[in-house]
Amino acid sequence: MGKQVKRIVALYLSGVLSVSSFAQQPGVSVTQDNAAKENLGRVIQSPEARSANLPSRNTLQSQPVLVLPDMGDPGGDALSPLDERKIGEQIMREIRRDRDFSNDWPIYDYLNSMERRLMQAARRLQLGGANAQGSAAYDYEVFAVKDPSINAFALPGGFIGFHTGLLITAETDSEVASVMGHEIGHVLQRHLARSLERQGTNSIIALAGIVLGALAAASNPGAAAGLITGGQALAIQNQLSYSRDAEREADRIGFQILQASGYDVNGAPAFFQRLQKAYGIMDSGVPGYLRTHPLTTDRIADMQDRARTVAQNRVPSALEFYLIKARARVEQSGSTSGLFDLRNLFESLSKQTAPEKQMEGFYGLALIAQRQGRFDQAEGFLQKARAVAQNVLAPGSPVQRQSLSFDYTASELALARGRPEEALQYAQNAAKADPFSFSAAVATVNAELRLGRANEAIALLRAKTKAQPNETIWWDLLARAYDQDKKIGLRHYALAEKFATEGAWPSAIEQLKIARSAAGNDFYLGSVIDARLRVFQNQYREEQKEQKKS
C-alpha cells in the first residue's frame, strides 16, 4: 500500500475511532436537523413528487425496459479496489469484535443471499465493475448491526452494513432489496473512492464518524455525542453525505438491478414511505439513512416515474423475510425487560388475520422461549409457525418453500433437547438448500461435535477457513473441534487466527507462542506457526507505528 492508503488506515485505527460499541438508541439524536425534517415531509407529500404527464401508479405499462447508462467513470486513481478492500478489512476487524455486531447467522444468510441475487443481475446487465476480475473485483459481504435506527451504509471494499431497525421497518423483501441495490450502486460506481480522491482525509474522518461515532456505545453516550458534535460535525454534515449526483446515479443503478433480479420495482418508493412513518414518531432528528443519503423532490419523482414506466408486477415476499424480521427484533431486544415487551408484541402478531403476521408472531415466540431455556415450549411455537407457513404456501405459490430459519432453529432445539442426530438432519437439509449458508454450516458443526465426530467437523471447518480466512466464526469453531480432538497445538493456532480476524494482535501472538510450544517436534506445524508469528508481529508493529504517526 502507498503512503496515502497507510494514512487512511491509520486514521481509521486512530483514537478518533476508538469507541467501544454501537449505539442502542431509539432514534437519531443529532441537533439542527429541522431543515432536513421539513425537506423529508415536503418531498414525500408534495404533489411535485408525482409527474402529471405520466400514468397513475395503477396503470399497467408494457413498454420495453430502458437500459440506463452507466453514469460517470467508476475509476479513480487514489485508491485501487485492492486498497479499498484492505481498508475495509481493517475497519471490519474493529466492527466484528463489537458486541453489537450481529452474529445471527440466518440474518447473515438472508442478507448475503439477497446480495448474490442482486449481483448476478448486475453481471447480466454488465454494469460497470460488476464483472471485474482478480484484484479489481469486490468480494461483497453484508452484515447486520444490532441497532433500532433505520440505516444502511457501505464501507470501502464491498462491505455493506444494515441496521436491524431497517429490517424491522421494511414491509417487503423488495424494500430491503431496493436499499441494498442502492448501496451496491455506490460500490460499483466507486463513489466512496472518488469522493476520497476529491476531498482528501477530511472525508475519511467523516466516514469514520458515521460508522463508529454515530453508532457509539450506549454505555457511554456522552462520548458518542462529543465525537459527533465536536470537531467532526462539520465534516459529517458537509462531506460524508453522498452528493446528489451520486445518489441519482446509485438510484438508477439500483433500479436496474432491482428489476433485473425479479424484485418489485416499487420497493424504493415504498421504503421512503417507511422512512416517513418512522420520522413521524421519532423523538428528534431524521432517520440516519437520510442524513447520509440526501433526499430531494427530484429523487422521489424519479423513483416513482421509473416504477410507472414498467408493468406493475407485485412480487410477494419470501416467507424467510418475515422470520428474519422476528429474528431482528429479538437480536436488538437486549435486556430481559426488552424480551418481555417483545413477547407481548409477538403474541399480538400471532393473533392477527394475515398469515404472514401470524407466522412471524409464532416464530418470534419460539425464539424467546428458546432464549429463556423453555425448549419444549419453543418447539411447540415453532410447529405452529410451520403450520401457518404450510397454509401460506399453496401449490404454485412463488414464495420459496425452504426456510433456513426454520431448519436452523429446529436444529438448535433438537440439540438442546439431546437429539443430535435429528439436529444434524435439519442442518444437512439446510445445507442442501443453500450451499453458501453460514447457518447450515454452523448447525452441522455443532451437531457433529455433539455426536463426537470431531474429524468430520474439522474437515468441514478446514475447508471453510481456507475459502473464507477472514471469518471469525470458522476459526472459533475449529478451535473447539481441535480441543475436542485433543490437538492442543492446533487449537491454539486456530485461536490465534480467530483473534487476528478481530485485530487483537497481542492475543493472537500469545496464542501462536503457546501453539509453538505445544507443537513440540512437529517440524511442519512448527514452521507454519513460525511463519504466521512473523506475519502477526510485523502487522502489529506496522499498526502501532501508523497509530503513533496519526
Side-chain angles (χ1 to χ4, degrees):
M1 283 191 296
K3 292 182 179 179
Q4 179 182 5
V5 177
K6 287 186 177 180
R7 186 178 183 189
I8 292 171
V9 172
L11 279 167
Y12 271 112
L13 299 175
S14 69
V16 172
L17 309 181
S18 297
V19 295
S20 60
S21 68
F22 294 115
Q24 296 180 8
Q25 52 189 2
V28 181
S29 299
V30 179
T31 58
Q32 298 180 343
D33 272 339
N34 289 338
K37 289 166 65 177
E38 292 174 3
N39 177 55
L40 172 60
R42 183 176 63 252
V43 164
I44 295 181
Q45 297 177 16
S46 171
E48 294 176 26
R50 291 185 176 273
S51 173
N53 298 321
L54 285 171
S56 68
R57 181 177 296 279
N58 297 324
T59 303
L60 292 178
Q61 298 294 302
S62 57
Q63 298 177 10
V65 175
L66 297 177
V67 179
L68 300 172
D70 195 14
M71 305 292 290
D73 176 15
D77 297 326
L79 293 174
S80 70
L82 182 60
D83 288 337
E84 283 189 71
R85 185 70 184 184
K86 290 177 181 178
I87 296 169
E89 286 173 354
Q90 292 274 17
I91 303 168
M92 287 303 297
R93 280 200 284 269
E94 296 287 326
I95 291 177
R96 283 193 185 104
R97 63 186 180 188
D98 190 280
R99 65 184 182 184
D100 284 334
F101 173 79
S102 175
N103 284 315
D104 186 290
W105 301 119
I107 293 179
Y108 184 91
D109 283 341
Y110 171 79
L111 291 172
N112 285 277
S113 175
M114 179 177 285
E115 174 271 317
R116 288 192 295 272
R117 176 175 168 179
L118 293 171
M119 280 305 300
Q120 286 171 359
R123 294 186 185 100
R124 289 196 303 270
L125 294 171
Q126 298 185 340
L127 295 177
N131 290 300
Q133 301 293 321
S135 62
Y138 287 110
D139 185 11
Y140 287 86
E141 180 178 350
V142 191
F143 60 95
V145 176
K146 292 180 280 187
D147 191 303
S149 59
I150 304 169
N151 212 347
F153 54 91
L155 296 175
F159 297 100
I160 298 174
F162 271 72
H163 289 199
T164 50
L166 190 150
L167 298 176
I168 293 168
T169 303
E171 288 293 339
T172 66
D173 261 339
S174 297
E175 289 181 20
V176 179
S178 73
V179 176
M180 191 178 296
H182 181 95
E183 294 301 326
I184 288 174
H186 282 307
V187 175
L188 288 177
Q189 290 298 288
R190 304 199 65 214
H191 288 150
L192 182 57
R194 290 155 63 186
S195 177
L196 299 182
E197 181 180 13
R198 289 191 302 268
Q199 299 177 17
T201 57
N202 282 342
S203 57
I204 293 290
I205 296 173
L207 178 62
I210 198 66
V211 174
L212 295 177
L215 305 174
S219 58
N220 190 9
L227 186 63
I228 298 170
T229 61
Q232 295 192 55
L234 186 60
I236 291 175
Q237 181 180 351
N238 294 334
Q239 294 178 324
L240 173 61
S241 298
Y242 288 111
S243 71
R244 292 182 178 183
D245 286 343
E247 284 300 287
R248 284 193 292 268
E249 191 173 40
D251 283 342
R252 293 187 182 102
I253 291 173
F255 179 85
Q256 287 180 273
I257 295 173
L258 197 68
Q259 183 181 14
S261 57
Y263 286 106
D264 187 347
V265 294
N266 292 290
F271 172 68
F272 284 108
Q273 296 293 340
R274 302 284 161 237
L275 287 186
Q276 183 192 29
K277 285 181 65 176
Y279 148 73
I281 61 174
M282 289 172 71
D283 293 334
S284 62
V286 297
Y289 194 76
L290 293 188
R291 289 189 289 114
T292 56
H293 298 70
L295 182 67
T296 66
T297 299
D298 288 343
R299 277 191 64 209
I300 288 288
D302 286 345
M303 291 176 202
Q304 294 174 331
D305 290 351
R306 276 195 296 270
R308 286 197 291 268
T309 61
V310 299
Q312 300 299 295
N313 182 24
R314 296 296 180 179
V315 181
S317 293
L319 73 84
E320 190 74 358
F321 167 72
Y322 301 101
L323 306 182
I324 291 303
K325 282 169 68 75
R327 297 193 73 93
R329 292 184 196 276
V330 174
E331 266 289 90
Q332 72 177 37
S333 62
S335 64
T336 304
S337 61
L339 284 179
F340 178 80
D341 293 337
L342 196 53
R343 180 183 175 84
N344 291 334
L345 172 64
F346 285 139
E347 285 179 344
S348 175
L349 287 173
S350 70
K351 297 173 184 176
Q352 292 192 18
T353 55
E356 63 271 17
K357 297 295 184 182
Q358 290 180 26
M359 183 178 64
E360 180 184 347
F362 284 127
Y363 184 65
L365 290 171
L367 295 177
I368 290 178
Q370 180 186 12
R371 281 206 173 189
Q372 295 174 336
R374 295 180 283 109
F375 302 123
D376 55 341
Q377 191 178 88
E379 286 191 324
F381 284 128
L382 183 61
Q383 289 174 2
K384 290 182 178 180
R386 282 185 181 275
V388 175
Q390 290 303 316
N391 293 332
V392 173
L393 297 176
S397 170
V399 178
Q400 68 179 26
R401 291 177 175 274
Q402 182 69 30
S403 168
L404 285 171
S405 291
F406 275 156
D407 286 342
Y408 182 72
T409 304
S411 181
E412 286 190 316
L413 291 174
L415 204 61
R417 302 199 69 187
R419 305 193 303 267
E421 289 283 3
E422 182 183 337
L424 182 59
Q425 187 61 53
Y426 280 121
Q428 290 173 339
N429 289 342
K432 289 177 184 177
D434 183 1
F436 298 102
S437 169
F438 273 52
S439 306
V442 170
T444 299
V445 168
N446 286 334
E448 295 279 22
L449 292 179
R450 184 67 65 85
L451 288 165
R453 302 174 185 171
N455 287 335
E456 287 85 346
I458 289 170
L460 172 60
L461 290 167
R462 289 184 65 177
K464 291 291 185 182
T465 55
K466 183 177 181 180
Q468 300 165 323
N470 292 323
E471 295 296 342
T472 304
I473 182 63
W474 305 139
W475 293 109
D476 187 39
L477 290 173
L478 185 57
R480 280 179 50 199
Y482 279 137
D483 185 52
Q484 184 169 310
D485 205 33
K486 309 299 182 185
K487 295 179 178 176
I488 306 305
L490 287 171
R491 170 182 177 268
H492 288 287
Y493 174 81
L495 283 174
E497 295 287 357
K498 173 202 173 231
F499 286 126
T501 65
E502 298 173 335
W505 298 114
S507 297
I509 291 168
E510 180 63 25
Q511 288 297 320
L512 280 183
K513 289 179 178 178
I514 297 173
R516 186 66 181 89
S517 177
N521 295 325
D522 188 331
F523 176 77
Y524 176 76
L525 178 58
S527 298
V528 171
I529 293 172
D530 287 342
R532 292 301 283 165
L533 184 59
R534 288 192 292 273
V535 170
F536 287 5
Q537 288 172 332
N538 288 337
Q539 185 73 28
Y540 185 41
R541 280 194 294 268
E542 283 297 312
E543 289 191 5
Q544 284 185 311
K545 188 184 302 182
E546 293 296 346
Q547 287 181 28
K548 288 179 181 178
K549 287 181 181 179
S550 66

